[in-house]
């Protein structure tokens, strides 16, 4: 008996001894443009419908068709939805990467592969299941040109059978996926069944992976962060939207267009919005400033390269004090970088985007729910502070599917900030655009069209006095700049507060933000379970930082700042803001290879820095 | 007798009962004799005579001496002196936010044809409802006289440097990109410029006016094709515009026998006196042709070259509600809870 | 006898008792466009020719004609050439500002004014001299339309007589000024004489201000920083220059054009350079990157708004590793700000210009000589590091006239960096563009046109491996980014070292950079003379910081970082770089009203922070 | 007999003795059937047939599927895949640094007509010696099919969205802005495109070629005016170019009776076969007119519309030395000490 078989036998028996239930990840390796997206979604949704916490991550190339793509589905009875490094089951559909994919697996993993690839010969410490896709597909799909697509649904069936996924749920998920396209649905369902039946008949389960019905997803939804941003903006009453296509932000506006067309048509049958595909990002941000200046709630969505092009206008928004909401769905930089990989690399450059003492407000959504709520907050903050507000999401949060509680309906009224009406002007007998009336650094503004002879003022990016008149006087300039600094102080109390997840007075604290949250939460459990290290945790939700952030750092001897960039960007901003004597407490945990951060990397890094 | 007060005549007012004073701006800080100042005065006259309420005007500009001028007319109108070359995007946003305003964009040749080319072209293409004025002196005035992209081939700088690159004809460009009212005038030609501006106010699409406006400090000497002298010698008006607003009949001024009428959106008429036989401002191809021919002859054509009153403008294309978006109440902008429930349900 | 007269008498006597010699400042208040520039220059040069250390500062509006302008001339026997706050003599030529100008004088100051302005009635604690310009000018200048210009030269004469400036020197300076225009020179000389004679005949000296021949300026030159940059670039062998006009940087390229036309025409009568006025700054920096990539020494000069527009390309230069030299003649921001006022406000935003973990090298010239030498250094550093290098000058340094030792001729050969020739490639049999062969993070490159089949490589701003091939692999990306970080470490030892002006082991240290140097040097003397406070001083000349900077901070309990911006930008960069435990030592001294920083402001600030 | 080896014919080579293989690039990662791939092949053929040394070629591009293509041809040439819309400035710098190279710029319609409009216009205006190819599919391929500014009015997106803005005609624009060799072809038209490219290689100024190149994934269906089908139906060639390089006579292919010759800078001839009576590619005004007329008729004109072999290009205007600036030795670039002394003296 060959050692290979031996190894496999052990595993097989092993699998009986300790079944691994609802706690593993499946990776589907395909070619982009091959239409595997729906198959993957069906697989994800079937697990979701079985009440098992799941998450799906799409690792795709910056290319339209023909290059390798990996889709990873993780189910976790503990509710962990961050990326998991280790792959437990590989569905190898891509001949080009099959060998690498197989070689990179940990021992004991299962591989479902296309028969002709003959992968089983490669390693003896894995469990192999071969599926004759072409044979199966030809039987269920007479039309040759459709086979390439349908083929994918076969692995869904096979995997379902191997893991014990309820075919009723597969069917439900599949019918939802194809919605009205009944014929397509039937065709694909047959393919799934063919896969299932084949597995039942010809494959002997040797791996320990199983799924079982749970009840964790009651009422939950599956959505990507960009759709959440779009919904948030719609319910925040956005009226003027400008954009220029760029991965991974395009789907924010594309989905927003769909929602707005459906839900924002007035009683007169006309649109209560204007959405413009601009000629570039310079124009996109310019339109947003023009619209916000004129009184509209206006936004644009982009990514790194677009943010760089918005630099000059951002400085003007800051200095002329014009609201604007910019969603930055971060991708890997510098420059064009890796357009289809995730990162938190724009934090520092965005904080100081614009020459000459410019400072910008940033919000950091940490979940799809916050993508929704912070879209709303962003408009409120921007109009209250009269300054551009950047919402820094990222590709992982924005383009991947996330499980979530349904979003809370925003019941609070819009906060439109300090805007004077014609009546106010009559009462006050006029106003000074840049006067610090309330000593919070925030002046009053009027909107074009306000029917009062004293309503108008002159907006400019050049030096001005309180009355918005052109001025080069040293004192006018300095006073205005000091007021703007005061306004930035006021911002601390207007932006969303951080989330203090745990503050139990232990010595070690962790600070993270955005999409790193999922990995950090899981890592805290690992630290406790595996190393008995308890860590407190604060999640930053905005810049400038509010009191809680400083207090959290004060309370801990060592604070690990976890982020997905090379240059410890958030840690840098903290260094510039905290009590200098606390600087030595800050330590950096960085993850910057373009993949979403995972708990294991965080845990290992902290442990090694803790010297354990 | 000397002591009896002489009765003061009531100040002249327009249909809104406003005096020309109500359209004044701050004191100009431009050089004495700068063509831009003359243009500001014509803008004041046009808005006054057309009876446009100051509070309903939006003034938008980029950066340059020309872009400073909105500070020198109609102080009662909101104004946005933006960034170099970026007025078009600011204007686009503002117009979308409040479609009810009359938008007036002022730019320079550098602001438009050099750094602003991209945004200029795309504003024209959208036929955004705005009056876009280029105060064209062929130089960068504010930065002390370097050539702009409209400086004519062979024109000389004070420093003696000669421009060896061809001039960009912003009118031809505007026509081809989609502007629906395109003309050229000269800051010194009070009558023509005023009538053009008044016609422009009645138009509902992109009006692009290239107004030759000599820079007396850096570009008003022999050898410069944007100097007073040069323009006076080479100007060849193709059509002198006499505008007839529907609330004030000044048709008598014109000889009906030789006129060509264009019906404007607001019911008023733009009357062009043909100087050239068979010049038809609704023919795009001919318009471009005449401009290119004149250019080859080294002539500065003035007048209204092209008009299209039928083409939908950008606001029409967006099918927006009539209420300005900026003035919509929260109720109209935030869908009810059931919508969110519906969406959430679709995601399960 | 009116109290006024009394006061003046005291002063008059006082002036006899304590003469103030070669240590005062004169402010000439005029209207811009009135042609006062040459008069001011003649005044400055006459003093210069008398061997007295002088400096001249032009405070002009962002406007072409008709607005107030002030020109301040300081002569200082101690050799202080920074701005001096207090004005000792005012020449009031501008009716519009005359009253403010007079009211803002310290008691005892002298005022030379145009008779009809009747300023003498305003204050009794000043010394007034009235001059009937119109009367005088009509006699010397029959041609009415020239009078407006000539008028200015009259005050030169009057002031010369009052202060005892040698008219021979005035004539020499004047003839130099009008060079070949003999007639203009004669006319103006007559005007100067008329002023002189009038003063001699009708004004009684009451102020204590006197000039006396010195011998400090032997061999010295007077030049502005922008001309120095132009010269530096020419001698550094720049070949492709691109620019877009913007104050205060335009004169860099305008003067460079003149120099190149004169001194860089080859034996074939053709230009050994190409200078292009680009359509905007996006194009200007693009052309520089294209040219540098193709092997030329290429530069552009701009100011804040232009820097903002160069953000995206800067990130590409950093990531694709292309040399580029960008001169940022800083003006006051944010946005359009105050185009004709000085600032050091682009330090922080330039360091992180570009999204996604971009970091940039910066040089900080502190004198006109360094404007010259660092222009050369910039090309060497850019080509050695293969990255964009920003040289941060400012309006004060760039557009004002400075006394200086003549510039040293650059005798060291150009440092062109790691470039492989066809011969190298034959020897090596090929190369990998982004491989860290020498472990200093700096890879080797080839230039287009290199006649070897293996010379070509593919330059891109997207992810790449060592061979410059497109790659999205996590490890390729991370390795490359870590190499870039190593390269930035190497930069510390390649950029110009800081100047350690004084390191005498006292407790307090001062750190400054750029044009603040003059004020800081004077301030150190004030601190010592007036408060017996000795401070060490280090002048930063580049970012990233080299060893010396860290050592200096280590050696001092309190380190004052002096800079001309609101947000303590250099101090911020230090915080991010130094040993965290030293952060508490840093203190900020800021000056940001658009005027050049002066010694008194620095001294007062340090003293108050020192609690004295 | 079967065992006797058949003699292998020597591989075909060009005048440099190079095989077509020497002009190959990396494997394309574009969609199968993408028009861009066909263009890459024609570029390879043209460079090979014209015998251009790979090492003497500069490949420059922006961002987009089209801009990726330089990776798929002539790997032995240096290539700069720059930023979205910014290829023109990179190209300008590179050409100035090394005037001896043959520069080939590849862009897309989005890369050129949207974000790149400003730099595009100014490159044309400078008549920079470069071959500028727009691989024109009317959409943003790489970002999954949004409309670009060359998408025709009324064309439909896969999603059903209709384009309601007019298309920008890059050829008319290029002619007006100053390009000296302007034409349009179709990725599927091997013969026409190849001859155009070969003629382009011989031209010494800005060559602007708009090559319709269907995006099979997002813009190749009914209703799209950039689809294979549409172009095949509506294409109307005005002039079929037959190129006669001075080192290889292929004139025989053409009927001499109906030809029009243009002498190229390098002495070679560009031969146009007139399909329209009296079409004269040296007449700017007529060229613009024909383009505008065809556009109004909804036709896609192909062929070479305009040629000017006399106008100085940007390198000529700058009076640069013949040695590429990038190759100048330090001695030629750093003036001697006496120059510095002279300057210093003038400052005393
Ligand atoms: C981004 C940027 N670059 C450069 C400048 C400097 N600048 C100010 S005005 C101007 C040119 C103005 O020329 P034009 O638009 O023709 O106006 P004019 O002064 O001639 O009326 C320039 C280059 C700037 N303000 N912003
Ligand atoms: C500054 C910037 N904005 C947006 C993008 C995203 N982007 C990449 S390619 C592209 C459009 C490409 O369209 P086109 O030039 O027509 O090329 P095609 O893919 O159609 O060949 C866009 C918008 C980018 N890379 N950079
Ligand atoms: S510089 Fe020229 S454009 Fe500017 S204000 Fe003076 S005259 Fe006018
Ligand atoms: S998406 Fe379109 S343009 Fe891009 S490669 Fe595919 S077919 Fe070509
Ligand atoms: Mg101008
Ligand atoms: Mg395209």
């Amino acid at each position: 008996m060959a050692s290979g078989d031996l190894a496999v036998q052990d595993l097989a028996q092993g699998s009986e001894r300790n079944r691994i239930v609802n706690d593993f990840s499946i990776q589907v390796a395909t070619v982009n443009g091959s239409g595997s997206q729906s198959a993957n979604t069906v697989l994800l949704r079937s697990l979701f419908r079985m009440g098992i916490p799941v998450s799906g991550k799409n690792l795709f190339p910056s290319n339209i068709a023909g290059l390798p793509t990996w889709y990873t589905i993780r189910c976790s009875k503990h509710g962990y939805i961050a990326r998991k490094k280790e792959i437990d089951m590989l569905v190898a559909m891509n001949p080009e990467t099959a060998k690498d994919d197989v070689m990179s697996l940990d021992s004991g993993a299962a591989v479902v592969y296309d028969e002709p690839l003959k992968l089983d010969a490669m390693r003896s410490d894995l469990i192999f299941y071969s599926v004759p896709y072409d044979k199966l597909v030809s039987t269920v799909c007479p039309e040759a040109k459709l086979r390439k697509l349908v083929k994918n649904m076969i692995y869904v069936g096979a995997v379902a059978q191997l893991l014990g996924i309820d075919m009723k749920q597969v069917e439900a998920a599949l019918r939802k996926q194809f919605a009205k396209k009944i014929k397509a649905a039937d065709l694909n369902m047959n393919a799934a069944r063919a896969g299932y039946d084949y597995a039942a008949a010809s494959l002997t389960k040797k791996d320990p992976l199983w799924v079982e019905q749970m009840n964790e997803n009651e009422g939950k939804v599956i959505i990507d962060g960009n759709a959440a941003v779009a919904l948030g903006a719609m319910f925040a009453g956005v009226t003027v939207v400008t954009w220029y296509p760029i991965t991974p932000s395009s789907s924010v506006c594309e989905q927003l267009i769909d929602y707005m067309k459906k839900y924002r048509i007035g009683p007169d049958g006309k649109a209560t919005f204007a959405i413009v595909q601009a000629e570039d990002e310079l124009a996109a941000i310019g339109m947003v400033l023009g619209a916000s200046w004129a009184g509209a709630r206006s936004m644009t969505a982009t990514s790194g390269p677009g943010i760089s092009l918005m630099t000059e206008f951002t400085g003007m928004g800051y200095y002329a004090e014009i609201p604007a909401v910019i969603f930055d769905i971060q991708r890997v930089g510098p420059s064009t970088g890796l357009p289809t990989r995730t990162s938190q690399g724009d934090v520092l450059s965005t904080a100081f985007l614009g020459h000459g003492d410019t400072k910008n407000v940033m919000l950091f959504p940490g979940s799809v729910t916050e993508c929704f709520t912070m879209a709303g907050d962003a408009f409120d903050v921007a109009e209250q502070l009269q300054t551009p507000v950047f919402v820094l999401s990222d590709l992982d949060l924005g383009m991947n599917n996330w499980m979530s509680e349904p979003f809370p309906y925003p019941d609070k009224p819009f906060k439109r900030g300090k805007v004077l009406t014609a009546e106010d002007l009559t009462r006050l007998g006029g106003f000074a655009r840049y006067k610090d009336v309330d000593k919070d650094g925030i002046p009053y503004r009027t909107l074009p069209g306000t029917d009062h002879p004293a309503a108008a003022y002159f907006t400019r990016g050049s030096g001005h006095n309180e009355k918005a008149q052109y001025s080069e006087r040293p004192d006018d300039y300095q006073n205005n700049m000091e007021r703007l600094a005061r306004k930035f102080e006021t911002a601390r109390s207007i932006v969303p507060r951080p989330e203090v997840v745990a503050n139990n007075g232990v010595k070690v604290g962790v600070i993270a933000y955005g999409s790193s949250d999922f990995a950090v939460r899981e890592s805290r459990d690992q630290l406790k379970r595996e190393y008995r290290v308890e860590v407190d945790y604060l999640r930053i939700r905005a810049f400038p930082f509010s009191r809680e952030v400083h207090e959290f750092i004060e309370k801990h001897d060592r604070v690990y700042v976890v982020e997905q960039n090379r240059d410890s960007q958030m840690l840098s901003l903290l260094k510039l803001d905290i009590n200098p004597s606390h600087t030595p407490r800050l330590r950096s945990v960085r993850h910057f290879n373009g993949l979403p951060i995972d708990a294991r990397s965080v845990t290992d890094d902290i442990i090694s820095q803790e010297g354990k | 007798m000397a002591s009896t007060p002489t009765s003061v005549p009531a100040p002249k007012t327009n249909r809104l009962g406003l005096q020309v004073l109500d359209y004044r701006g701050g004191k100009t800080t431009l050089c004495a004799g700068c063509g831009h100042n003359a243009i500001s005065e014509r803008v004041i006259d046009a808005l006054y005579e057309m009876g446009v309420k100051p509070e309903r005007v939006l003034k938008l500009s980029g950066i340059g001496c020309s872009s400073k001028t909105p500070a020198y007319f109609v102080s009662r109108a909101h104004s946005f002196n933006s960034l170099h070359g970026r007025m078009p995007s600011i204007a686009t946003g503002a117009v979308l936010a409040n479609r009810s305003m009359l938008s007036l964009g002022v730019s320079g040749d550098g602001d438009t044809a050099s750094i602003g080319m991209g945004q200029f072209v795309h504003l024209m293409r959208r036929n955004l409802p705005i009056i876009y004025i280029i105060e064209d002196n062929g130089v960068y005035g504010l930065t002390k006289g370097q050539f702009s992209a409209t400086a004519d081939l062979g024109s000389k700088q004070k420093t003696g440097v000669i421009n060896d690159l061809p001039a960009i004809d912003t009118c031809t460009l505007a026509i081809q990109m989609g502007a629906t009212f395109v003309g050229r005038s000269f800051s010194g030609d009070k009558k023509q410029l005023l009538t053009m501006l008044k016609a422009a106010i009645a138009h509902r699409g992109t009006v692009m006016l290239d107004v030759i406006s000599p820079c007396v400090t850096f570009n008003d000497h022999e050898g410069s094709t944007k100097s007073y002298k040069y323009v006076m010698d080479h100007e060849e008006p193709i059509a002198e515009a006499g505008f007839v607003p529907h609330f004030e009949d000044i048709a008598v001024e014109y000889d009906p026998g030789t006129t060509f009428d264009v019906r404007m959106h607001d019911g008023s008429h733009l009357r062009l006196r043909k100087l050239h036989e068979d010049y038809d401002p609704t023919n795009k191809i001919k318009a471009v042709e005449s401009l290119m021919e004149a250019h080859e002859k080294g002539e500065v054509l003035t007048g209204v070259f092209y008009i299209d009153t039928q083409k939908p403008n950008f606001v029409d294309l967006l099918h927006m509600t009539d209420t300005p978006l900026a003035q919509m109440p929260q109720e109209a902008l935030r869908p009810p809870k059931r919508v969110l429930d519906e969406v959430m349900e679709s995601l399960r």
Side-chain angles (χ1 to χ4, degrees), chain A residues 45 48-49 176 218-223 231 234-240 242 259 262-264 266 268-280 282-297 312-313 316 320 322 372 405-414 416 431 446-462, chain B residues 29 53-61 63 67-101 115 117-123 125-126 314 318-348:
Chain A
R45 283 197 163 279
F48 174 69
R49 301 180 65 88
K176 178 187 179 66
E218 199 53 48
K220 290 214 173 78
V221 300
I222 290 188
I223 187 174
L231 285 170
M234 176 170 74
F235 283 96
V238 68
T239 49
V240 178
T242 72
Y259 286 130
K262 197 159 171 202
Y263 300 116
R264 282 283 298 276
D268 54 0
K270 294 184 179 164
T272 62
F273 60 88
I275 301 183
V276 184
Q277 184 184 314
E279 58 270 35
D280 62 18
L282 292 162
I285 183 68
M287 292 175 190
V288 168
L289 288 173
S292 306
W293 171 78
R297 287 203 141 185
E312 190 190 14
F313 255 135
M316 170 159 219
I322 303 167
F372 176 80
E405 290 296 336
F407 302 156
Y409 184 76
D411 33 27
K412 288 196 216 59
F414 299 158
R416 305 298 309 257
F431 86 116
T446 56
L447 302 182
T450 304
D451 194 5
H452 191 290
Y457 67 94
F458 199 93
T459 302
R460 49 162 66 85
S462 46
Chain B
T29 60
K53 193 169 188 195
E55 287 73 18
R56 306 238 41 87
V57 176
L58 280 186
K59 299 179 296 179
L60 309 142
S61 65
I63 295 282
S67 295
K68 283 180 175 185
T69 60
Y72 315 138
F73 58 81
V74 200
S75 298
R76 276 168 59 177
H78 270 77
S79 193
F80 198 137
N81 174 203
S82 68
L83 296 179
H84 194 32
R86 314 298 176 212
M87 179 264 278
S89 57
I90 291 292
T92 305
V95 167
L96 296 182
N98 192 334
R99 58 178 299 170
S100 70
M101 309 289 284
I115 193 170
M117 181 53 76
Q119 296 204 350
F120 173 73
V121 160
H122 288 277
L123 181 141
R125 181 170 176 250
R126 295 186 180 106
F314 197 50
L318 288 165
H319 309 294
M320 294 193 294
T321 44
D322 307 339
T323 327
L325 295 178
Q327 290 165 14
M328 294 236 141
Q330 172 167 339
E331 313 76 72
L333 298 180
R334 174 180 283 163
K337 182 161 187 321
R338 56 158 188 72
V339 168
L340 183 59
D341 298 342
E342 180 181 321
V343 174
M344 287 300 121
E345 188 45 44
S346 72
L347 297 166
R348 291 198 174 99

Side-chain angles (χ1 to χ4, degrees), chain A residues 93-120:
Chain A
M93 302 292 287
N94 182 358
E96 272 194 34
T97 63
K99 298 213 164 358
D100 289 357
D101 293 339
V102 167
M103 291 318 290
S104 61
L105 291 171
D106 290 357
S107 168
V111 181
V112 178
Y113 67 98
D114 192 358
E115 197 168 38
L117 293 180
K118 306 233 167 313
L119 302 177
D120 52 342

Side-chain angles (χ1 to χ4, degrees), chain B residues 133-196:
Chain B
I133 300 172
I134 301 177
E135 303 189 344
D136 187 356
N137 52 19
V139 296
Y140 292 169
L142 191 53
T143 50
K144 301 184 177 292
Q146 303 85 356
F147 286 122
S148 80
T150 69
D152 287 85
L153 195 62
S155 70
K156 210 195 289 110
Q157 238 176 48
K158 271 211 163 136
T159 60
V161 183
I162 304 237
N163 174 36
D164 50 17
L165 290 177
I168 290 175
D169 182 339
T170 52
C171 289
T172 320
L173 189 57
I175 293 170
Q176 247 150 13
M177 291 301 144
T180 47
F181 185 121
V182 179
R184 170 172 288 132
S185 187
F186 176 55
S187 61
D189 188 338
K190 287 193 181 195
K191 185 150 165 244
Q192 184 192 42
L193 181 53
L194 177 60
T195 15
M196 260 191 215

Side-chain angles (χ1 to χ4, degrees), chain B residues 89-308:
Chain B
S89 57
I90 291 292
T92 305
V95 167
L96 296 182
N98 192 334
R99 58 178 299 170
S100 70
M101 309 289 284
L102 172 75
S103 298
L104 198 76
V106 178
S107 180
D109 44 312
D111 196 59
T112 288
S114 298
I115 193 170
M117 181 53 76
Q119 296 204 350
F120 173 73
V121 160
H122 288 277
L123 181 141
M124 298 297 134
R125 181 170 176 250
R126 295 186 180 106
N127 192 26
L128 186 81
I130 185 176
I131 300 170
Y132 189 114
I133 300 172
I134 301 177
E135 303 189 344
D136 187 356
N137 52 19
V139 296
Y140 292 169
L142 191 53
T143 50
K144 301 184 177 292
Q146 303 85 356
F147 286 122
S148 80
T150 69
D152 287 85
L153 195 62
S155 70
K156 210 195 289 110
Q157 238 176 48
K158 271 211 163 136
T159 60
V161 183
I162 304 237
N163 174 36
D164 50 17
L165 290 177
I168 290 175
D169 182 339
T170 52
C171 289
T172 320
L173 189 57
I175 293 170
Q176 247 150 13
M177 291 301 144
T180 47
F181 185 121
V182 179
R184 170 172 288 132
S185 187
F186 176 55
S187 61
D189 188 338
K190 287 193 181 195
K191 185 150 165 244
Q192 184 192 42
L193 181 53
L194 177 60
T195 15
M196 260 191 215
L197 284 168
K198 288 162 74 176
I201 290 170
H203 187 69
R204 300 272 177 280
T206 298
V207 176
M208 204 301 280
L209 301 180
D210 179 47
V211 186
I212 308 291
S213 173
C215 169
V216 294
T217 305
F218 298 110
N219 201 17
D220 189 34
H221 51 288
E222 281 311 328
S224 157
T225 54
K226 294 275 192 298
S227 68
Y228 278 104
K229 191 163 175 338
Y230 188 94
V231 179
M232 285 313 190
D233 299 351
H234 294 66
E235 187 174 16
E236 180 199 272
I238 60 160
E240 187 195 22
F243 182 71
V244 190
H246 59 297
F247 47 81
E248 187 189 337
D249 191 346
I250 50 166
V252 288
E253 266 190 56
Y254 302 91
D255 169 359
T258 63
T259 56
F260 175 93
D261 273 32
V262 190
R263 189 179 160 66
M264 309 296 294
H265 306 72
D266 67 355
S268 61
H269 288 65
L270 175 66
R271 177 165 299 174
L272 300 170
R273 175 169 305 129
K274 293 209 202 59
L275 294 186
H276 286 178
E277 257 340 298
D278 70 37
Y279 182 78
D280 167 7
T282 67
N283 182 329
K284 205 180 226 176
I285 299 180
K286 281 272 162 308
V288 170
E289 204 180 302
S290 345
L291 279 162
M292 289 179 81
E293 276 163 357
H295 186 79
E296 288 199 347
K297 283 189 257 146
E299 287 170 345
V300 181
L301 264 195
T302 71
V304 176
F305 307 123
Y306 179 66
I307 299 179
D308 176 350

Side-chain angles (χ1 to χ4, degrees), chain A residues 247-553:
Chain A
T247 307
S249 79
S250 303
S251 60
V252 168
C253 294
E254 285 168 331
Q255 296 183 87
L256 183 54
I257 290 170
D258 296 340
Y259 286 130
M260 298 287 259
K261 280 185 174 163
K262 197 159 171 202
Y263 300 116
R264 282 283 298 276
I265 302 301
D268 54 0
K270 294 184 179 164
T272 62
F273 60 88
I275 301 183
V276 184
Q277 184 184 314
E279 58 270 35
D280 62 18
E281 292 87 349
L282 292 162
I285 183 68
M287 292 175 190
V288 168
L289 288 173
S292 306
W293 171 78
R297 287 203 141 185
S298 184
M299 65 169 267
T300 184
T302 185
S303 193
I307 294 292
S308 284
L309 286 174
M310 295 179 182
T311 306
E312 190 190 14
F313 255 135
T314 297
M316 170 159 219
Y318 170 83
Y319 191 56
E321 300 180 66
I322 303 167
V325 174
I326 302 104
F327 294 92
D328 175 10
I329 315 303
Q330 297 168 101
R331 67 189 211 183
V332 171
S335 196
T336 305
L338 306 179
T340 58
R341 296 292 186 266
T342 195
S343 152
Q344 295 181 317
D346 299 346
V347 176
L348 194 50
S349 52
T350 303
F352 301 111
L353 197 71
H355 61 274
D357 284 326
T358 300
K359 274 181 174 184
N360 302 301
V361 174
M362 298 182 285
L363 308 188
F364 306 97
S367 66
V368 288
T369 303
E370 278 190 348
C371 285
F372 176 80
T373 56
M374 281 195 184
D377 299 335
F379 289 99
D380 286 351
V381 173
E383 290 193 318
Q384 287 178 88
L385 289 172
Q386 298 173 35
T387 199
V389 170
F390 293 80
V391 183
L392 275 66
S393 173
D394 61 37
L395 183 141
D396 183 25
L397 195 52
M399 288 188 75
N400 282 323
N401 281 321
W402 298 89
M403 246 178 35
S404 166
E405 290 296 336
F407 302 156
Y409 184 76
D411 33 27
K412 288 196 216 59
F414 299 158
K415 300 196 181 119
R416 305 298 309 257
K418 301 181 182 180
V419 178
L420 297 174
T421 63
E423 297 64 44
D424 298 332
L425 291 168
T426 316
R427 201 180 67 252
L428 303 163
F431 86 116
R433 171 65 178 104
Y434 296 110
K435 194 163 194 292
D436 190 2
V437 177
D438 307 327
K439 299 286 164 267
D440 56 2
I442 306 174
Y444 285 79
R445 64 173 182 148
T446 56
L447 302 182
T450 304
D451 194 5
H452 191 290
Y457 67 94
F458 199 93
T459 302
R460 49 162 66 85
S462 46
H464 42 267
N465 60 19
E466 289 186 339
K467 296 203 183 74
Q469 295 159 323
Y470 183 77
S471 169
E472 295 176 347
R473 294 177 58 97
D475 51 349
D476 283 340
Y477 173 78
Q478 185 161 346
N479 293 337
N480 188 51
M481 287 301 282
E482 275 160 355
R483 179 183 56 75
L484 282 166
R486 277 201 301 284
K487 183 165 94 169
F488 213 72
E489 283 306 306
T490 303
R492 296 180 187 272
S493 53
I494 285 182
V495 298
R497 291 251 178 293
E499 181 191 9
V500 184
V501 181
N503 201 350
N504 311 324
V506 297
K507 288 194 156 39
V508 180
V510 173
I511 287 181
Y513 58 97
S515 62
S516 306
D517 182 50
F518 310 102
V520 169
R521 288 173 186 271
E522 184 176 351
S523 167
R524 289 184 65 231
D525 295 350
Q526 290 176 344
L527 287 165
K528 189 166 182 181
R529 198 175 57 246
E530 304 169 10
Y531 301 93
R532 295 208 174 50
V533 174
E534 261 215 60
V535 298
D536 284 341
Y537 175 35
L538 174 140
R539 182 169 62 89
I540 288 175
R541 297 173 69 227
F543 175 81
F545 308 117
S546 44
R547 199 175 24 74
E548 295 85 345
V549 176
H550 302 94
E551 287 168 358
F552 185 83
I553 294 170

